[in-house]
């Protein structure tokens, strides 16, 4: 049990959930250190282990965000966790992916979870969130010529607000003894197809927006060819979209409300709160 709170290290501290986790912990009086390659309190680079020890100095808990746009990273994360344990970390909250227990072996998400579970000297909480709603508001699922282009086969997903993921993470980091060993899968309050999400976006923005459901392999190959993701990340994109196509996308649950005490954010509410994002897209 952690009895004398020190500092929480927030990896990905300038990212979509990391910056919100840092803000939430700070609001509750916890000391926080954000870490990222640029723009954070300290420099942290997964490819430069010399940045890791300084980031961990005086830290007793970590918000673990693994390297992005990569399929293989378990070795680097294991080395970091070895160092973290040696420098006094006693709790880790890991940001994973919905359905990570069914991830293909070419992706290291489950390997990191198993590593954490096997470390008896520290406690852990694992988050497996659905696709985030913010994907619609940035360059992950941009609106191009009035269409959201992504292969889903008409399947549905319980899209979740990054703010809700962060709120769950804050609770696990603020009271690790209450969430030790927990696995949470934050979702939105209802499952939507991308076509249904497009209708809501159309209604709220006043712009005609539709879903263009394309061939999955062509979409993945195009993302790699355009340089949006490295070639080895294609397996991750095929898995994530394939789950929705197969009808195995995330389904609503009560984890957000159970942990935070408030309901998960509805997609329409999310759009209303972030209308400026689509105004910017329309202007580009």
């Amino acid at each position: 049990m952690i009895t004398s709170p020190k500092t929480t290290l927030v990896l990905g501290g300038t990212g979509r959930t990391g910056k919100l986790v840092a803000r939430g912990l700070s609001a509750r009086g916890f000391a926080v250190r954000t870490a990222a390659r640029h723009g954070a309190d300290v420099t942290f680079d997964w490819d430069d282990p010399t940045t890791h020890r300084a980031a961990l100095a005086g830290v007793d808990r970590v918000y673990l965000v693994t390297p992005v746009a990569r399929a293989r990273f378990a070795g680097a994360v294991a080395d970091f966790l070895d160092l973290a344990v040696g420098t006094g970390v006693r709790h880790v909250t890991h940001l994973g992916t919905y359905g990570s227990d069914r991830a293909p072996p070419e992706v290291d998400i489950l390997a990191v979870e198993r590593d954490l579970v096997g470390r008896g000297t520290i406690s852990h909480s694992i988050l497996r969130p659905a696709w985030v709603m913010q994907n619609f508001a940035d360059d992950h699922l941009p609106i191009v010529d009035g269409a959201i282009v992504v292969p889903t086969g008409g399947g549905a997903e319980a899209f979740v607000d990054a703010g809700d993921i962060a709120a769950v993470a804050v609770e696990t980091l603020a009271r690790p003894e209450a969430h030790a060993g927990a696995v949470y899968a934050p979702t939105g309050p209802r499952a939507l197809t991308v076509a249904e999400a497009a209708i809501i976006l159309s209604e709220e923005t006043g712009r005609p927006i539709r879903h263009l459901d394309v061939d999955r392999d062509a979409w993945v190959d195009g993302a790699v060819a355009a340089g949006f993701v490295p070639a080895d990340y294609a397996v991750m994109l095929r898995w994530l979209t394939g789950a929705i196509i197969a009808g195995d996308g995330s389904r609503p649950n009560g984890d957000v409300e159970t942990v935070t005490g408030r309901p998960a954010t509805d997609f329409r509410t999310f759009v209303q709160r972030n209308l400026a994002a689509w105004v910017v897209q329309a202007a580009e």
Side-chain angles (χ1 to χ4, degrees), residues 9-13 15-18 35-37 44-47 52 62-81 92-97 100 107-116 125-127 129 233 236 239:
L9 177 65
V10 178
L11 300 186
R16 288 191 293 194
T17 63
R37 285 183 294 175
F44 184 95
D45 188 337
W46 280 108
D47 293 325
H52 299 180
V62 174
Y63 180 58
L64 176 62
V65 179
T66 54
V68 298
R70 298 189 195 179
R72 293 298 193 190
F73 45 78
V77 175
D79 290 344
F80 170 77
L81 291 175
V92 173
T93 291
H94 169 50
L95 178 66
T97 302
S100 58
V107 178
D108 280 347
I109 295 175
L110 185 57
V112 170
E113 291 187 7
R114 287 173 172 165
D115 185 355
L116 273 175
S125 302
I126 294 171
L127 308 186
Y233 195 69
M236 183 74 165
W239 169 53

Side-chain angles (χ1 to χ4, degrees), residues 225-272:
F228 293 132
V229 296
D232 67 347
Y233 195 69
V235 64
M236 183 74 165
L237 293 181
R238 287 191 172 89
W239 169 53
L240 292 173
T241 52
I244 298 178
I245 292 170
D248 196 26
S250 62
R251 290 295 178 265
N253 60 51
D255 283 2
V256 171
E257 186 165 9
T258 296
V259 177
T260 70
R262 61 172 177 76
T265 303
D266 179 73
F267 186 72
R268 187 179 296 275
T269 300
F270 167 78
V271 173
Q272 292 170 343

Side-chain angles (χ1 to χ4, degrees), residues 123-220:
S123 63
H124 67 272
S125 302
I126 294 171
L127 308 186
R128 296 172 173 172
W131 283 29
V132 294
M133 295 176 181
Q134 278 75 5
N135 283 345
F136 291 94
D138 60 24
D139 57 3
H140 285 77
L141 294 175
I143 298 169
V144 179
D145 295 331
I148 302 168
V149 182
V150 61
T152 64
E157 174 79 6
F159 302 105
V160 62
D161 186 356
D164 290 339
I165 301 170
V168 173
V170 166
E171 292 299 328
T172 66
L173 291 159
R175 297 192 306 130
E177 67 282 352
H179 302 279
V183 178
Y184 299 120
T187 70
R190 61 182 177 130
L192 295 170
T193 65
V194 174
E196 290 169 335
I199 290 172
I200 293 172
L201 283 165
S202 296
E203 293 171 347
E204 296 298 332
T205 65
R207 299 168 54 192
I209 299 170
R210 70 190 192 283
H211 174 214
L212 183 58
D213 198 351
V214 295
D215 177 78
R216 181 181 62 166
D217 289 338
W219 183 80
V220 173

Side-chain angles (χ1 to χ4, degrees), residues 17-83:
T17 63
K19 62 186 178 184
L20 299 177
V21 169
R23 188 182 305 165
L25 287 169
S26 295
R28 291 174 63 161
F30 288 89
V32 177
R33 180 182 302 145
T34 59
R37 285 183 294 175
H38 307 286
D41 296 329
V42 295
T43 299
F44 184 95
D45 188 337
W46 280 108
D47 293 325
D48 183 3
T50 64
T51 64
H52 299 180
R53 185 174 293 275
L56 285 164
V59 165
D60 69 346
R61 58 197 81 181
V62 174
Y63 180 58
L64 176 62
V65 179
T66 54
V68 298
R70 298 189 195 179
R72 293 298 193 190
F73 45 78
V77 175
D79 290 344
F80 170 77
L81 291 175
D82 288 343
L83 181 61

